Every structure is written in C-alpha cells, then in structure tokens.
Amino acid sequence: MFWNDIQVHLNYTHIFFILYLVGTAVDFGVNQWLEYIDYRHRQKHGREIPTEFAEYIDAATVEKTCQYEDAQYKYWVPKNILSLIIALALIFSGFYPRIFYFIRSFTQNSFLTALCFIVLASIPEAVIFLPFRLYREFSIEKRFGFSTMTLKLWILDGLKGLLVNAVLMVPLLFAMTFVLEHANGWWWLLLGGIYVAFSLLISLIYPTFIAPLFNKFTPLEEGELKDTLIQELAETGFKASGLFVMDASKRSKHSNAYFTGFGKTKRVVLYDTLIAQLSNEEIKAVLGHELGHYKHHHIIKKMCVMIPLIFVALFAISLFISNPSLYTTFGFALAPEDLTATAPTSVLPHLQFLGVFLISVVFGGFSTLLSPITNHFSRKDEFQADAFAKKLCGTGKPLTTSLITLNKENLSELTEPKIYSIFNYSHPPLIERIRAIAD
C-alpha cells in the first residue's frame, strides 16, 4: 500500500475536532502570553535587586541572569510556534491514519500495530526538533557556562534513553493492547492496576539499575558532611540505603539534591556541583527540606490523590474509545470488520489503542488550564518542607543562603510576574520562600 493510495477525510465540524482546535489554541495562546509577560517584566524589572538579595547578588550576576533567560525565551518562541505548525500539519495531512493503514497492510497483530504506530508517530517531531535540542545544549548552555556535555556523551545519552524507554514501555504497551482486547468493559480497571504496579516497580529499580546507566554514583566520603547528614537522617527517622554523590558535573554545572527509590532502595543523592557550591550547613538545610517532604508524607499523599485520578481518567477514556466518531473525525475510515456485529456503533477492541491516542490529542491542550491547581498544592507542600528545614536547623538562615546561592548559580530570575509563577512554578517563587522562613 503506497502513501498516496490512502484516502483520508477529516470531519472539521465534529465536536471532537472542534475540541482539539480549541485545546490546541488554548495551550499555544496561554503559554505564548505567559512567556511574553515574563519577558516584558524582565525587561522592566529584571535588573532590580530586591532588598532580601542585596547582600548576596550583584548587578553583574543579575545582568547575566537576564541575558540567560532572554536567550531561553528567544529559543522557546520559534520552537513553540514550530510545534504548533507541526501538530496541525500532522492532523490536517492525515498523517496518523496514513501510517496506521500503512502498518495494517503488513500486520494485523494489535500489539505490533500499536508499537509501530507509536514509533512512527513520534518520528516527525523527534527529527524536526533535533536541531533545537542541539542548539540549546551546545549553544545556550555552553555560552553561559553550564553545559560540560560532549557530543559523544550527548549521543550516548540519547541512545541509552531510547533503549530504556523501549525496555520499559514495550511491556506496558503490550499490557494495554492485551487488556483492551480481552477485558471488555473492564479494561480500564485492569490497566490502571497494571500502571500503578508498574510505576512502583520503576521506583524500586530506578536507583540501582536505571540511574547508573547515565551517571556514576559514589558513596559520600567520610568526613564532617557525612556525619552531619547521617545524624540529620537519624533525628528524622529516615532510613536510607546510603548517601551518594552523583557526577552531575560530567554534563552540567546545574545543581540539585533528591531522594530516590522506594522502601529498602531509598537513597539520598547529592549532585557533586551542589557540594562544591554550598557549605555543610547549607547542604544540611537542603536535605532538611527534602526530609520535610518525608515527615509530612507529601509523597504518600500525592499517591493517594494520583492513583484514584489514574482510574478516573482511564474510566473517562473508556467512555469515548468505542465511539466510531472519534476515529472518523480524524480520518480513520472504519470498515465493517472494525465494528461489532451486534452494535455497529461500537469500535472493536483491536482498534481502541488508537482511541486512547486520539483522546490525548483531543484533550491534551487543556492540561495547561489545570497547572495552576496542581502547582498550588505543590507550592503548599514546598512551604511546609521549608518550615520543617528551618525547625530542624534551628534557624532559616542556612536554607535562605542555600536557596539564594542555588538561584544565583543556576541564573534563575529573582522575581517574576505572579500570573507566570501560578501557571509555571511547582515551587514557590524564591522571594516568597525567603520571606516565609525569615527569622
């Protein structure tokens, strides 16, 4: 079957297509507006230094920060516009039904069809945005002194990422196609359970099997810092399999610290760049913040919210994916053998993986409108974690200086428009965090 032999007819007036256009416009328009507001704010106020930072940050650093943020903005705008053009082009050209029927001319196996479809559907954006990824890494990040990446390492990371994604996602895709075909109307319940179990499994194996593929993790060397952090962990009752240093400087000078793993595989990871940038007392405060999340059970609470939402989302999807209009609207011409004999208004399970994909296309753009809600609760947790770190250290000073130092080293903005942070920040703006933990 040749590409041009496949006839595709879109239904531009159907509610699914209208929702897709509205969601796409909302996502593009809101994000363009937010980034422009932030850019304009930076032009007017970005070089002002609030009183709270005057002792730590000079005019040269602020100027460099503005230049870095401007460079990212000028990179992001054409990338976002091109993303919109590509998304619309793929839909209006009938790219997705064309590759689907091309694949079906070679195989009728549902799993192989789904696998090939996902791979081929991802190729256009992956290829077109490759120059953008290279430019950001080897131009912007190099120019401002962050990237230490070599082209060889960048390519190896990409190949490893593809391999890891294949190993992890192929079984999950197989599970989805299997339950769609054999679980009838209960597929969403089974798939939700499989997805939750799969996510927990990834949490278990990530620290010891996946992360070491990309970075080297060495035990924190003996000394004052290790003794301080071990005592801090003991005081809070956090049991970890070890304290590790990650060779983040191999790729970038950006810094961070995090907990990873689940159960007995939990470990504390410090970037080597973090250790180089902060004092022992400041690192203790940063770890105290992470321990605050543990003591307030933030991860468990998020899981208690997210797991039911996964099942609700899958159930909602199950209400749509048997509807033939979902497919025909986007150019998938359904044959009689694609519909159930007893209910010709219902699409057979062997096609319904396409329905899951199309639902993500139709409603994906509206996710931007949900970000203020998720960010609100995330910022609330961050304030709690900051307060815990202050209490643990007996003062907010070490956390204050560590946050300012990390902000300075990462060339992050000192202030930003309120509306921008509401939509884009899962953490509170720096100045709000500093004021909240002030002694």
Side-chain angles (χ1 to χ4, degrees):
M1 180 179 291
F2 294 97
W3 186 267
N4 291 332
D5 294 335
I6 303 171
Q7 300 299 313
V8 174
H9 301 284
L10 306 179
N11 186 351
Y12 305 113
T13 61
H14 195 278
I15 185 62
F16 285 130
F17 202 89
I18 294 172
L19 285 172
Y20 162 71
L21 292 178
V22 171
T24 300
V26 166
D27 181 60
F28 177 80
V30 169
N31 283 294
Q32 284 285 147
W33 174 64
L34 289 170
E35 293 297 333
Y36 178 73
I37 286 178
D38 186 49
Y39 174 73
R40 291 299 300 164
H41 179 271
R42 189 163 55 250
Q43 301 309 301
K44 294 180 179 179
H45 307 289
R47 289 159 180 80
E48 299 172 3
I49 303 176
T51 305
E52 290 85 349
F53 306 130
E55 181 182 349
Y56 308 97
I57 298 177
D58 57 25
T61 300
V62 172
E63 178 63 32
K64 187 176 181 180
T65 297
C66 289
Q67 292 175 3
Y68 178 59
E69 294 293 338
D70 286 349
Q72 293 194 94
Y73 174 70
K74 292 172 184 177
Y75 156 86
W76 179 88
V77 169
K79 182 175 180 289
N80 194 44
I81 293 173
L82 183 59
S83 180
L84 173 68
I85 294 171
I86 293 172
L88 293 174
L90 293 177
I91 291 295
F92 280 90
S93 68
F95 176 78
Y96 298 119
R98 289 179 191 277
I99 61 170
F100 172 74
Y101 288 111
F102 176 76
I103 295 166
R104 293 288 283 183
S105 69
F106 293 97
T107 179
Q108 299 295 309
N109 181 277
S110 297
F111 167 66
L112 290 178
T113 301
L115 178 61
C116 292
F117 180 83
I118 295 300
V119 171
L120 293 179
S122 65
I123 288 177
E125 288 194 357
V127 171
I128 292 171
F129 288 119
L130 181 61
F132 283 87
R133 292 173 56 204
L134 286 166
Y135 176 79
R136 187 178 191 279
E137 184 67 46
F138 294 101
S139 180
I140 297 177
E141 293 296 299
K142 289 280 188 184
R143 192 191 330 154
F144 288 92
F146 288 124
S147 177
T148 56
M149 182 82 74
T150 64
L151 181 60
K152 179 182 177 181
L153 183 58
W154 189 84
I155 294 173
L156 286 174
D157 279 353
L159 294 175
K160 288 178 184 178
L162 288 174
L163 179 61
V164 170
N165 282 336
V167 171
L168 296 180
M169 299 311 297
V170 167
L172 194 60
L173 184 62
F174 175 80
M176 183 182 76
T177 55
F178 183 84
V179 298
L180 279 171
E181 287 201 82
H182 296 91
N184 298 320
W186 295 99
W187 70 264
W188 60 273
L189 190 60
L190 288 174
L191 185 60
I194 291 171
Y195 181 80
V196 171
F198 180 80
S199 299
L200 293 176
L201 176 63
I202 296 301
S203 297
L204 284 171
I205 68 174
Y206 178 82
T208 51
F209 294 102
I210 299 177
L213 293 174
F214 299 89
N215 290 95
K216 183 178 180 180
F217 295 83
T218 56
L220 180 63
E221 63 182 22
E222 300 295 331
E224 181 183 349
L225 176 60
K226 184 174 183 179
D227 293 340
T228 299
L229 299 185
I230 288 177
Q231 181 180 353
E232 185 178 25
L233 293 174
E235 289 175 0
T236 55
F238 184 87
K239 296 181 180 179
S241 61
L243 294 163
F244 293 87
V245 179
M246 188 182 90
D247 62 340
S249 58
K250 183 179 180 181
R251 292 172 175 80
S252 173
K253 293 182 181 179
H254 290 296
S255 52
N256 198 6
Y258 64 91
F259 292 151
T260 184
F262 185 77
K264 293 183 179 180
T265 67
K266 286 188 299 187
R267 56 171 59 180
V268 177
V269 176
L270 306 174
Y271 283 23
D272 57 356
T273 49
L274 183 85
I275 295 175
Q277 293 169 1
L278 302 182
S279 68
N280 289 356
E281 192 67 18
E282 289 172 331
I283 294 174
K284 176 184 176 181
V286 170
L287 181 58
H289 170 88
E290 299 300 329
L291 288 169
H293 288 304
Y294 163 73
K295 293 299 288 186
H296 286 288
H297 309 291
H298 290 156
I299 297 175
I300 299 298
K301 290 176 181 177
K302 286 180 180 178
M303 289 176 62
C304 289
V305 173
M306 292 306 300
I307 290 176
L309 285 178
I310 289 170
F311 285 96
V312 170
L314 288 173
F315 174 71
I317 291 172
S318 73
L319 301 178
F320 291 102
I321 63 172
S322 62
N323 186 342
S325 296
L326 176 62
Y327 304 82
T328 56
T329 293
F330 292 95
F332 292 89
L334 301 178
E337 58 268 25
D338 296 326
L339 304 173
T340 57
T342 55
T345 58
S346 182
V347 176
L348 283 172
H350 74 275
L351 281 180
Q352 290 183 2
F353 79 88
L354 283 174
V356 177
F357 169 77
L358 290 173
I359 287 296
S360 70
V361 169
V362 171
F363 295 103
F366 293 101
S367 61
T368 296
L369 301 180
L370 298 178
S371 57
I373 300 174
T374 57
N375 287 340
H376 168 76
F377 291 104
S378 177
R379 287 194 296 269
K380 183 179 178 181
D381 289 348
E382 296 302 326
F383 278 128
Q384 280 192 319
D386 282 350
F388 181 86
K390 176 182 178 179
K391 181 179 179 181
L392 193 65
C393 295
T395 173
K397 188 70 173 179
L399 185 58
T400 294
T401 56
S402 66
L403 290 174
I404 294 175
T405 299
L406 292 177
N407 194 88
K408 175 182 176 181
E409 294 295 333
N410 290 314
L411 295 181
S412 299
E413 291 180 294
L414 297 182
T415 61
E416 58 287 306
K418 183 70 174 179
I419 188 66
Y420 184 83
S421 65
I422 287 174
F423 272 87
N424 289 287
Y425 285 14
S426 60
H427 286 55
L430 177 63
I431 197 165
E432 293 183 18
R433 298 179 71 178
I434 298 305
R435 290 170 178 170
I437 58 175
D439 293 323

